Amino acid sequence: MTLSIRNIIPILKAQFQGDREVAIIDSVSIDSRSLQNGENTLFFALIGPNHDGHEYLSELLEQGVFNFVVQQVPDALVGKANFLIVENSLEALQTFAAKYRSNFTFPIIGITGSNGKTIVKEWLNFLLSPDYNIIRSPKSYNSQVGVPLSVLGINEKHNLGIFEAGISTVDEMVHLEKIIRPTIGILTNIGSAHDEGFHDAGEKIKEKLKLFPSVDVLILNKNRTIEAFLSPKVKTFTWSSDDGKADVFVMANEKPDQTELRITYQKQCFKVVIPFSDQASIENAIHCLMLMLYLQYDEAVIQARMQQLYPVEMRLKVKNGIHNTRIIDDSYSSDFQSLKIALDFLESQKQYKKKTLILSDIFQSGLSNDELYAQVSFLIVTNQINRVIAIGPTISGYQRKFPNGMAFPTTQAFLDVMDTIPFANETVLIKGARHFHFEEIVTALEEKTHETVLEINLNAISHNLNFYKSKLQPDTKLMVMVKAFSYGNGGYEIAKLLAHHKVDYLGVAFADEGIALKQAGIELPIMVMNPESTSYQSLIQHGLEPEIYSLKGLNAFVKLAEEKRLKHFPIHIKLDTGMHRLGFMEADMPQLIARLQQTQAVEVKSILSHLAASDSMAFVDFTLDQIKLYKTLSEQLMEALQIQPIRHILNTSGISNFGQAQFDMVRLGIGLYGVSNDEDEQKLLEQVATLKSIISQIRVIETGESVGYSRRFMAERLTRVATVPIGYADGISRHWGNGHGYVTIKNKKAPILGSVCMDMLMVDVTDIDCKEGNEVIIFGKDPSVMHMAKVLGTIPYEIMTSISQRVKRIFYRE
């Protein structure tokens, strides 16, 4: 893409304010945090329910960005940059992408449905890439923003496009259709995803079909309900396993690790073997097969290529590595668009200043190798990568273009000498095309721990954060609690993401938690909610801000601050308005004021209190009395000291139930991690954590035999027992055993048999078709931590914070 501002103005019907109409644009951005933004970037300041891109224009201007699409120009920036002023910046981005799309006439495949879109897209890319130069949506960029960004990646060398379109409610698909303008349509499975955005299944189907009004052909599983909503003008190419009127009839013979598809098409029959046996993969593979038939591929080619289909990994994972390294695992794809995304993710999650990139040959860029690797080199330099390990016959030839470049012709050549290459105190992004088998590099660099893992969905963290931000007034600050290892989910990684989202404060319980975050490079202000006097020296040394809740604590801290000749060191005064746990009582106010008036060593940065019953509408009057008392006492303190500190009293449930008391800041805790006390609100939050393990061993016991300590389970039938390597030392309550609790295997409940052991538990899999090594869900969607808490008579906090540190945390972004 190379366009001038002068040409873009009429496309957007924008009012221009600036003096450089001839400015050249070669990239588009919506993310102010990307290191890839520069003088040739056109930044669209998008406004959403939880964010406003206009807030970051000054920061972008300092970084060298000069061209902006905005809905209004901030007064402070008038005359300092090029501004294209539009009514709606999102619509402007979509209009721009649609116009750009119109410059290309090659075939475009548009994919939508409830499930399988990304997998079908990736498999089609694999199946067709030997014959086409393909541009496709990176990862699952299928939203109102993701689709235009995907389409803007097209260049003149591409000759086939594959784009997916995802919607969550009505009147969205019409915008995506204008941008994608598919010539070939694929409708995947229609399931329950996003049902809440539609009145009924019919409305959802009609909305999905709005992607296909102008396609040459629509590929779908023959279905009377769907066909009832189809325009007769749309030509279809259908398949079925039970309707002989379909264009292609498919019979599936499922085996343990593969499926044989028997295809009947145009009076010819042939077989195709795919390496999957689950129903979802079979259906996704058939959609791919249908496209190959439509494109008139030879049967032998179809058979050979489909047998090589593979599981698609759609997540960027963050893992602990050897020698104090952090591994970002993106070892299943290597294309230019997804490299940009991975580098942005690296920047948002890097724990160490040193950054290493292990990168394979890049395919299907649509550029010559010289052009491609020049652009890759620019990306790497822009993202301040310290070292590049290039693997592949092509990329190796461009080793000199990369900082501290090393080159290897194959993955094995690198693995053969890896022990001689130092990896320590750095973040390593591993990104490679699938056939390079970079998963072997991940295995070699990954810290070795046992097979139980807690997976943390960073997208869900961002969603929940934005959900609560949407409840705040524009000028209300936000503190997020990351105490207790971020409620068991992982400290640094969550804190880094929150810094990326520019929250105002982090809250921890004890000094050591805050020190660990500071030492890991977190620069956000951190309040220590429960500081011990023995930690005051360390607090000051590391720039942590203590909550002060007693005269004894205040006197001790002030004495130390004065000895160190500090001036205006920030402290936070805690008032007890009814929780009766910590804090200054109303009777303490005269002494508190007097002591603070006597010193300049400290400064009251904030005044806070804590609500005792904000989650219960049965105690509304009590909570309102707390808020009233807090307001009175905080105003008394402010008037006496002539200060304007930050005031905050609301916790997560307070944000939802007592929004009128936001004051200057609120404190978000358990809600960030996807847990609410309100059933309706719970439906709007996303699940953050999934605790997984595997089946270690399966045995069959006879009627009358027992399982576990004290023979607490006695078999009443021939019973198939699976052992799972997780126990109470990992944080699973013993009360969850003996038939009270269950795990999920192959989407079926497996009751826990007998007592939970220290490192293991046993479950009944008599009625589940499973084998050793299969995945086991301990908690996540089912059972949820809310359900577990209800059964155990406790709260989700206890379950989440009980998960042992020996359980490996894996952080990922979809």
Side-chain angles (χ1 to χ4, degrees):
M1 174 196 300
T2 304
L3 297 168
S4 73
I5 286 292
R6 179 180 297 166
N7 294 331
I8 295 173
I9 293 170
I11 295 173
L12 304 184
K13 297 180 180 178
Q15 175 189 342
F16 181 69
Q17 188 183 107
D19 57 5
R20 299 190 198 173
E21 285 190 43
V22 295
I24 299 300
I25 299 300
D26 62 16
S27 66
V28 166
S29 176
I30 61 166
D31 187 352
S32 63
R33 299 159 296 196
S34 175
L35 294 180
Q36 297 160 33
N37 295 324
E39 61 178 346
N40 295 329
T41 297
L42 179 62
F43 183 84
F44 284 76
L46 302 186
I47 298 177
N50 311 312
H51 65 271
D52 185 348
H54 295 78
E55 297 175 1
Y56 308 110
L57 299 184
S58 297
E59 182 181 316
L60 285 158
L61 196 59
E62 292 176 2
Q63 295 172 7
V65 180
F66 192 78
N67 303 287
F68 302 93
V69 177
V70 298
Q71 293 179 206
Q72 67 272 334
V73 180
D75 292 340
L77 300 184
V78 172
K80 295 185 177 180
N82 280 344
F83 293 101
L84 283 68
I85 306 168
V86 297
E87 289 187 11
N88 185 300
S89 50
L90 173 58
E91 291 179 5
L93 174 64
Q94 294 173 336
T95 298
F96 182 53
K99 176 62 177 176
Y100 185 75
R101 160 70 179 91
S102 68
N103 295 325
F104 304 94
T105 58
F106 55 76
I108 297 287
I109 302 167
I111 307 171
T112 194
S114 300
N115 306 295
K117 297 184 293 293
T118 302
I119 292 172
V120 170
K121 178 199 68 185
E122 293 298 320
W123 280 354
L124 286 177
N125 177 69
F126 167 75
L127 294 166
L128 305 180
S129 58
D131 313 301
Y132 294 92
N133 204 343
I134 299 173
I135 174 71
R136 71 189 192 280
S137 311
K139 299 295 179 184
S140 53
Y141 267 39
N142 59 28
S143 67
Q144 299 291 305
V145 174
V147 167
L149 293 177
S150 299
V151 167
L152 289 169
I154 299 174
N155 65 45
E156 292 76 7
K157 302 292 181 62
H158 292 124
N159 57 13
L160 179 67
I162 311 174
F163 298 105
E164 54 178 298
I167 56 170
S168 56
T169 189
V170 296
D171 300 325
E172 290 186 341
M173 190 63 84
V174 63
H175 303 295
L176 303 186
E177 190 278 333
K178 291 177 182 177
I179 301 167
I180 299 174
R181 287 176 52 196
T183 55
I184 300 172
I186 298 179
L187 182 65
T188 65
N189 174 276
I190 298 291
S192 60
H194 301 297
D195 272 356
E196 64 277 8
F198 304 93
H199 288 117
D200 52 41
E203 185 177 62
K204 183 179 189 178
I205 292 169
K206 285 192 288 185
E207 185 68 21
K208 297 279 187 185
L209 293 176
K210 288 179 182 178
L211 182 61
F212 309 120
S214 302
V215 295
D216 297 331
V217 67
L218 171 60
I219 295 170
L220 73 160
N221 187 351
K222 190 171 180 60
N223 180 292
R224 290 181 182 178
T225 303
I226 294 173
E227 289 174 328
F229 293 103
L230 261 177
S231 166
K233 297 180 181 179
V234 177
K235 179 183 176 183
T236 61
F237 185 42
T238 62
W239 66 272
S240 180
S241 295
D242 50 35
D243 190 339
K245 294 181 180 180
D247 297 302
V248 179
F249 193 75
V250 183
M251 293 294 291
N253 180 20
E254 299 167 28
K255 299 178 181 180
D257 296 312
Q258 65 180 31
T259 300
E260 181 184 80
L261 302 176
R262 296 184 180 185
I263 314 299
T264 303
Y265 173 51
Q266 294 181 342
K267 298 182 180 180
Q268 295 183 355
C269 297
F270 64 99
K271 297 177 182 179
V272 172
V273 175
I274 58 173
F276 303 99
S277 57
D278 64 287
Q279 196 56 45
S281 295
I282 293 171
E283 190 166 332
N284 291 332
I286 293 173
H287 282 115
C288 296
L289 180 146
M290 290 290 290
L291 183 72
M292 297 185 80
L293 289 175
Y294 175 75
L295 295 177
Q296 299 182 347
Y297 270 81
D298 182 77
E299 291 174 15
V301 174
I302 295 174
Q303 291 167 332
R305 293 186 186 176
M306 292 202 64
Q307 196 162 6
Q308 299 176 53
L309 290 178
Y310 53 89
V312 174
E313 178 58 70
M314 294 180 286
R315 306 182 301 183
L316 284 157
K317 294 181 180 178
V318 183
K319 306 174 179 178
N320 286 328
I322 59 174
H323 308 314
N324 293 322
T325 57
R326 297 291 282 167
I327 307 299
I328 298 179
D329 179 3
D330 192 13
S331 57
Y332 293 94
S333 68
S334 182
D335 60 88
F336 189 68
Q337 291 297 101
S338 66
L339 176 60
K340 290 182 177 182
I341 296 169
L343 288 170
D344 276 341
F345 183 67
L346 166 63
E347 185 60 27
S348 73
Q349 278 295 307
K350 74 174 193 290
Q351 182 171 350
Y352 304 98
K353 285 187 176 181
K354 183 179 178 183
K355 296 180 285 187
T356 290
L357 169 63
I358 302 178
L359 182 65
S360 79
D361 286 350
I362 294 176
F363 303 114
Q364 301 165 327
S365 69
L367 304 172
S368 69
N369 286 335
D370 287 348
E371 291 176 290
L372 169 62
Y373 290 106
Q375 291 191 25
V376 170
S377 175
F378 178 77
L379 269 184
I380 288 169
V381 172
T382 302
N383 281 270
Q384 301 167 15
I385 303 299
N386 303 97
R387 178 173 62 169
V388 176
I389 297 173
I391 297 177
T394 304
I395 195 173
S396 295
Y398 296 88
Q399 172 186 351
R400 293 183 180 179
K401 287 185 173 289
F402 308 131
N404 295 313
M406 304 174 69
F408 300 89
T410 65
T411 301
Q412 190 58 51
F414 166 72
L415 290 170
D416 288 343
V417 299
M418 196 190 82
D419 289 344
T420 67
I421 301 172
F423 287 94
N425 304 310
E426 60 190 299
T427 304
V428 183
L429 170 60
I430 301 174
K431 183 161 185 60
R434 183 181 177 275
H435 78 258
F436 281 92
H437 298 289
F438 272 18
E439 66 272 13
E440 296 178 20
I441 299 177
V442 174
T443 300
L445 288 176
E446 190 177 1
E447 184 179 63
K448 305 304 182 285
T449 55
H450 71 94
E451 292 164 304
T452 297
V453 298
L454 185 68
E455 292 189 347
I456 310 299
N457 185 339
L458 295 176
N459 295 80
I461 291 275
S462 297
H463 169 88
N464 297 338
L465 175 69
N466 287 330
F467 172 78
Y468 284 101
K469 284 174 69 175
S470 72
K471 295 175 176 288
L472 305 183
Q473 299 299 321
D475 55 352
T476 300
K477 297 181 184 297
L478 180 62
M479 173 186 286
V480 180
M481 308 309 297
V482 292
K483 62 182 180 178
F485 200 51
S486 290
Y487 293 69
N489 291 289
Y492 168 78
E493 295 81 6
I494 306 289
K496 183 66 179 175
L497 180 64
L498 295 171
H500 194 60
H501 281 292
K502 303 183 187 244
V503 303
D504 300 284
Y505 258 92
L506 298 179
V508 299
F510 299 103
D512 58 346
E513 296 176 313
I515 292 170
L517 292 177
K518 286 292 185 182
Q519 290 178 334
I522 298 298
E523 297 178 356
L524 287 174
I526 298 175
M527 182 196 296
V528 180
M529 313 294 285
N530 195 21
E532 297 147 319
S533 58
T534 54
S535 70
Y536 286 169
Q537 178 82 30
S538 296
L539 284 172
I540 293 172
Q541 178 184 346
H542 293 278
L544 301 170
E545 303 176 16
E547 173 190 293
I548 301 296
Y549 49 81
S550 69
L551 286 168
K552 178 183 178 182
L554 177 61
N555 287 328
F557 192 83
V558 168
K559 179 182 178 182
L560 180 61
E562 288 176 341
E563 288 174 356
K564 291 181 171 294
R565 299 183 181 180
L566 300 178
K567 293 288 185 183
H568 308 299
F569 192 92
I571 63 172
H572 302 263
I573 298 297
K574 176 73 169 287
L575 304 177
D576 183 356
T577 58
M579 182 76 170
H580 297 332
R581 186 171 63 180
L582 293 173
F584 292 94
M585 303 284 285
E586 186 172 8
D588 298 325
M589 294 302 289
Q591 286 179 280
L592 170 63
I593 290 170
R595 186 66 185 95
L596 290 170
Q597 287 175 331
Q598 294 168 4
T599 183
Q600 302 226 346
V602 298
E603 172 190 9
V604 178
K605 190 67 179 283
S606 85
I607 304 172
L608 67 146
S609 188
H610 194 71
L611 298 177
S614 60
D615 60 330
S616 175
M617 293 297 98
F619 299 108
V620 170
D621 291 341
F622 180 84
T623 301
L624 292 176
D625 285 343
Q626 271 198 274
I627 294 169
K628 181 179 179 181
L629 179 58
Y630 168 72
K631 186 173 185 295
T632 299
L633 297 182
S634 60
E635 287 176 350
Q636 181 182 340
L637 190 58
M638 291 164 63
E639 184 176 351
L641 299 177
Q642 290 296 293
I643 57 174
Q644 291 294 323
I646 300 169
R647 292 194 291 172
H648 48 112
I649 191 173
L650 297 185
N651 53 6
T652 296
S653 52
I655 294 170
S656 299
N657 298 329
F658 298 92
Q660 73 277 15
Q662 290 181 16
F663 292 96
D664 305 300
M665 185 163 73
V666 298
R667 302 188 300 273
L668 177 60
I670 193 72
L672 182 75
Y673 308 100
V675 176
S676 171
N677 293 302
D678 182 89
E679 290 185 7
D680 292 331
E681 185 172 273
Q682 183 64 56
K683 296 174 184 175
L684 301 174
L685 299 177
E686 291 189 359
Q687 172 195 319
V688 168
T690 301
L691 182 59
K692 296 181 177 181
S693 192
I694 65 164
I695 296 174
S696 295
Q697 189 176 38
I698 294 176
R699 72 188 67 247
V700 176
I701 63 173
E702 302 288 338
T703 302
E705 290 192 280
S706 62
V707 173
Y709 287 115
S710 301
R711 306 193 70 193
R712 288 195 172 92
F713 173 79
M714 304 289 289
E716 297 180 355
R717 61 171 179 168
L718 193 69
T719 304
R720 200 161 171 256
V721 180
T723 300
V724 183
I726 184 172
Y728 58 76
D730 300 293
I732 305 303
S733 171
R734 291 186 76 248
H735 299 293
W736 189 235
N738 298 309
H740 294 114
Y742 64 92
V743 300
T744 300
I745 301 171
K746 293 289 190 78
N747 296 316
K748 293 184 177 180
K749 294 180 180 180
I752 297 175
L753 304 177
S755 298
V756 174
C757 305
M758 179 181 287
D759 308 301
M760 286 170 279
L761 54 82
M762 289 70 74
V763 298
D764 185 348
V765 294
T766 307
D767 301 318
I768 301 176
D769 181 16
C770 59
K771 60 185 180 181
E772 293 174 359
N774 280 166
E775 181 179 83
V776 178
I777 304 298
I778 310 301
F779 68 64
K781 186 175 181 180
D782 184 25
S784 67
V785 291
M786 286 75 73
H787 173 76
M788 292 178 70
K790 185 176 181 180
V791 172
L792 294 171
T794 184
I795 55 177
Y797 296 70
E798 182 177 356
I799 293 170
M800 294 167 64
T801 57
S802 295
I803 301 306
S804 168
Q805 297 275 342
R806 79 178 187 178
V807 172
K808 178 170 64 174
R809 271 69 173 174
I810 293 180
F811 301 84
Y812 69 90
R813 178 177 290 176
E814 298 284 2

